Amino acid sequence: MNKSAQNLDPTPETDAASPTPKHRFKASHWLLLGFLALLLVVGTLPGYFRGGWLWSDFPPLSVLPELQAIRKDGLSVPGWTVANQRLIPVGGKEWSLQTLERDGEEALLLLFPQNYYKDQPHVEWMDLNGFQRWKTDSYRHLKFGGDDSESAAVSARFFRAWTSRQTYAVLQWYAWPDGGSPAPSRWFFADRKAQLKGDRAPWVAVSVLLPIEPLGNIEEVEPLAESLGEEIQTALRSTTFKIDN
């Protein structure tokens, strides 16, 4: 038998040093147990250091009134004029929708703030997709809010969306005091970190819609999306989250 045929042999010889299937199963078993233990530690240590268990309760939200005010009054973004603001039903929830204007530019800002201290972000983007009934493509991420692109506080999802009537460049993220991301899992770990100090990471779902030409290139408004995203994050930090910038 030639060397190539030996490499394709389904029953190669084994030596005593090679791991048996049983050993491999034990290794994967311990790996799984280790992962579950990590989740248990992340989920319970904050409550343990506070003298209680995390699944029993969460620390209160000190900025809950400010979060609830967004739904009623929207968000003031420095340099932009609010042409109008109203509530719209999206997926059984009420979002704040406001039109921002500046020097001939226009943007639609949708905000869904945390409404209860136990609320967690999860299906907000699915709700918006179902409400808008749009098609999407050209997904990428924009980073802003930090000292440089590598240490940016916010990593937002940026993509093109269109209906039969309008095309938009869309920027989306969950904002919290120390950062932001479109992924709920990123907020989860930020909140657990805050709970170690007996605090919380309050959140607001942010969706910015910039009208562009029918099926236009979103790169043309990327600088505007990035600067507006940073202005919104800054406004949330200073007013809603009460963080000095």
Side-chain angles (χ1 to χ4, degrees), residues 121-125 172-176 179-184 187 203-206:
H122 53 296
V123 296
E124 282 69 31
W125 312 138
Q172 294 179 337
W173 75 99
Y174 292 108
W176 57 82
S181 169
W187 168 85
W203 59 271
V204 178
V206 183

Side-chain angles (χ1 to χ4, degrees), residues 138-205:
S138 304
Y139 282 85
R140 67 193 70 181
H141 281 79
L142 296 185
K143 295 183 178 181
F144 51 84
D147 297 332
D148 54 61
S149 60
E150 295 301 320
S151 62
V154 175
S155 176
R157 180 169 59 180
F158 188 51
F159 60 95
R160 182 173 66 174
W162 69 93
T163 65
S164 59
R165 295 181 297 176
Q166 181 65 57
T167 302
Y168 298 100
V170 183
L171 189 68
Q172 294 179 337
W173 75 99
Y174 292 108
W176 57 82
D178 296 326
S181 169
S185 59
R186 295 291 300 275
W187 168 85
F188 174 88
F189 287 107
D191 192 49
R192 294 304 183 270
K193 181 179 179 180
Q195 288 185 50
L196 286 172
K197 303 176 182 179
D199 202 356
R200 295 297 306 280
W203 59 271
V204 178

Side-chain angles (χ1 to χ4, degrees), residues 9 64 69 90 104 114 137 146 155 158 161 176 227 234:
D9 189 345
L64 187 58
V90 178
Q114 183 176 4
D137 66 6
S155 176
F158 188 51
W176 57 82
S227 64
T234 299

Side-chain angles (χ1 to χ4, degrees), residues 7-154:
N7 290 336
L8 297 176
D9 189 345
T11 56
E13 294 182 0
T14 60
D15 54 42
S18 62
T20 65
K22 182 178 180 181
H23 290 157
R24 288 195 297 269
F25 172 79
K26 286 185 177 180
S28 62
H29 181 69
W30 284 112
L31 182 62
L32 177 60
L33 288 178
F35 177 74
L36 293 176
L38 176 62
L39 290 180
L40 181 63
V41 168
V42 170
T44 61
L45 271 184
Y48 175 80
F49 286 120
R50 292 195 313 272
W53 294 109
L54 183 63
W55 53 73
S56 299
D57 208 350
F58 293 92
L61 284 175
S62 62
V63 296
L64 187 58
E66 287 76 13
L67 289 166
Q68 294 173 337
I70 288 180
R71 185 173 286 104
K72 177 183 177 182
D73 305 319
L75 179 71
S76 177
V77 182
W80 291 80
T81 300
V82 179
N84 57 72
Q85 187 269 340
R86 60 190 176 94
L87 293 177
I88 60 171
V90 178
K93 305 173 183 176
E94 286 189 326
W95 286 65
S96 167
L97 170 62
Q98 56 192 102
T99 303
L100 303 179
E101 296 178 346
R102 182 184 68 181
D103 300 332
E105 297 172 330
E106 182 179 284
L108 300 178
L109 175 60
L110 289 119
L111 299 170
F112 181 77
Q114 183 176 4
N115 190 48
Y116 183 58
Y117 78 110
K118 289 187 177 182
D119 287 350
Q120 301 182 20
H122 53 296
V123 296
E124 282 69 31
W125 312 138
M126 293 176 59
D127 288 343
L128 281 181
N129 287 342
F131 174 77
Q132 297 286 357
R133 297 181 181 177
W134 54 24
K135 296 180 181 180
T136 64
D137 66 6
S138 304
Y139 282 85
R140 67 193 70 181
H141 281 79
L142 296 185
K143 295 183 178 181
F144 51 84
D147 297 332
D148 54 61
S149 60
E150 295 301 320
S151 62
V154 175

